[in-house]
Amino acid sequence: MASLCLEAQNTTPKIYFIYNASGTIGGEISYLYGKYFQNQRCELCDITHSSVSAKPEWKAWISSLNCENYVLHTNEAEEIGIDFSDFVLPVVLVERGNGLEELISKKDMAQSGKGVDAFSQLFLKKLNDFGLDLSKLHFLTTNQIEPAVCASGV
């Protein structure tokens, strides 16, 4: 069981969606000021949010993904130790056990437009380009392996 746990940890990719904005109150105010008064953009924000809140279709899509994923502001990414300094934000990164790789760039997002459907098609295309099949991106459930086995390495 322990080797199965280690194998799962090493082969299951993690996907990080990182906004070009801090999730703090000051960061949100700064983002809104930049958006409305300085024509600054966060392409991922445009895809995931309407003018008031997260788009329902984004919430449905992101929750339906069959892979480990994190939607993070810059401060949240830093808090969990994600070093995104080599990438232009916003960005979608994939971690497959050999460091972070850019899955979807800011430019890709801008070209896909502001729609969740177009973005989801881009996401699937990029996964395919990386040789990742979303239908195979899944986790061992607690019915298949006990969490204590992974945590203890036994």
Side-chain angles (χ1 to χ4, degrees), residues 1-9 140-154:
M1 283 278 202
S3 64
L4 181 61
C5 177
L6 293 174
E7 183 179 313
Q9 288 175 351
L140 300 176
T141 66
T142 54
N143 294 335
Q144 295 168 307
I145 190 166
E146 296 178 28
V149 173
C150 282
S152 67
V154 177

Side-chain angles (χ1 to χ4, degrees), residues 18 77-78 80-87 89 91 93 99-101:
I18 304 177
E78 290 168 347
I80 63 169
I82 302 300
D83 180 7
F84 53 84
S85 61
D86 291 337
F87 305 97
L89 297 178
V91 68
L93 302 173
L100 294 170
E101 301 171 86

Side-chain angles (χ1 to χ4, degrees), residues 9-65:
Q9 288 175 351
N10 291 332
T11 61
T12 304
K14 297 177 186 176
I15 309 290
Y16 299 96
F17 299 82
I18 304 177
Y19 292 110
N20 187 21
S22 172
T24 64
I25 291 175
E28 296 291 333
I29 292 169
S30 177
Y31 169 75
L32 291 172
Y33 180 82
K35 179 178 180 177
Y36 292 108
F37 297 107
Q38 297 179 330
N39 201 30
Q40 295 175 351
R41 311 258 25 111
C42 169
E43 290 77 4
L44 185 57
C45 298
D46 292 341
I47 292 165
T48 64
H49 286 73
S50 64
S51 58
V52 179
S53 63
K55 295 176 182 176
E57 61 270 29
W58 167 258
K59 289 180 179 181
W61 181 77
I62 198 72
S63 66
S64 73
L65 287 182

